[in-house]
């Protein structure tokens, strides 16, 4: 399985000059990395079976993502932030809290879904494709990010 996400572990400014490169760059905070490692360790216990493509995507993000500065830029999708996104270039926007919990709660986009795993580390304006749980290829564009839990994107 291959992914088109690349990066480095050297901390850098979040700004990217080349728009083509920006579409593929993924940034993770220290907290995101810790949470991903913790989730993957839990997934390896076998108590709950997660799809192999999901686990492969999360491992790949850990391996290639750039280190985001602290605090994370306001345009970066990190755990605990409210995200607004567009699926398949439709005019309708969806939103939810990017969450690492093992149980999906109303209003959350969990890390254990392909959508949540894909959105994590993206920046506003980035688009990428992913294969959903039903095997359908979808395109997601991150439209807006709100700073903290309970705060909604403007215009919601």
């Amino acid at each position: 399985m291959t992914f088109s996400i690349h990066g480095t572990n050297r901390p850098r400014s979040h700004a990217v000059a080349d728009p083509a490169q920006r579409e593929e760059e993924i940034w993770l905070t220290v907290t995101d990395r810790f949470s991903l490692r913790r989730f993957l360790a839990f997934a390896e216990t076998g108590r709950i079976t997660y799809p192999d493509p999901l686990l492969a995507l999360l491992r790949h993000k850990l391996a290639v993502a750039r280190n985001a500065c602290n605090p994370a830029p306001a345009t970066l999708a990190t755990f605990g932030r409210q995200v607004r996104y567009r699926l398949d270039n439709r005019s309708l926007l969806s939103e939810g809290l990017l969450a690492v919990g093992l149980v999906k709660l109303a209003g959350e986009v969990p890390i254990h879904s392909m959508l949540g795993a894909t959105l994590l580390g993206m920046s506003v304006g980035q688009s990428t494709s992913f294969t959903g749980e039903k095997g359908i290829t979808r395109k997601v564009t991150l439209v807006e990010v709100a700073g903290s839990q309970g705060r909604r994107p403007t215009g919601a």
Side-chain angles (χ1 to χ4, degrees):
M1 176 173 293
T2 60
F3 299 99
S4 64
I5 302 168
H6 66 280
T8 179
N9 286 334
R10 293 181 304 179
R12 293 187 183 179
S13 165
H14 187 65
V16 177
D18 180 8
Q21 183 183 11
R22 186 178 184 276
E23 286 189 20
E24 296 183 357
E25 280 196 321
I26 298 300
W27 299 79
L28 295 176
T29 64
V30 171
T31 303
D32 292 336
R33 288 179 185 278
F34 175 79
S35 297
L36 280 179
R37 287 187 186 106
R38 188 171 162 212
F39 174 80
L40 289 168
F42 175 80
E44 290 172 4
T45 66
R47 293 182 184 153
I48 299 175
T49 304
Y50 295 98
D52 288 335
L54 170 70
L55 300 177
L57 173 59
L58 294 175
R59 286 186 191 104
H60 184 74
K61 281 195 173 194
L62 272 175
V64 302
R66 294 175 181 264
N67 290 327
C69 57
N70 246 345
T75 58
L76 183 63
T78 64
F79 289 126
R81 288 187 171 177
Q82 191 80 16
V83 294
R84 182 177 283 177
Y85 54 92
R86 180 183 322 278
L87 286 173
D88 304 321
N89 293 324
R90 295 183 180 157
S91 59
L92 178 67
L93 296 177
S94 301
E95 67 179 63
L97 182 72
L98 200 53
V100 73
L102 299 176
V103 177
K104 183 183 185 310
L105 301 175
E108 287 186 347
V109 181
I111 190 60
H112 61 270
S113 70
M114 286 300 287
L115 176 61
T118 301
L119 285 168
L120 180 67
M122 288 178 62
S123 297
V124 170
Q126 278 186 299
S127 296
T128 192
S129 297
F130 69 98
T131 303
E133 281 78 7
K134 296 179 181 178
I136 299 170
T137 300
R138 313 281 309 261
K139 180 180 179 182
V140 63
T141 302
L142 184 61
V143 175
E144 191 174 0
V145 176
S148 62
Q149 189 171 6
R151 191 174 138 214
R152 307 187 69 83
T154 58

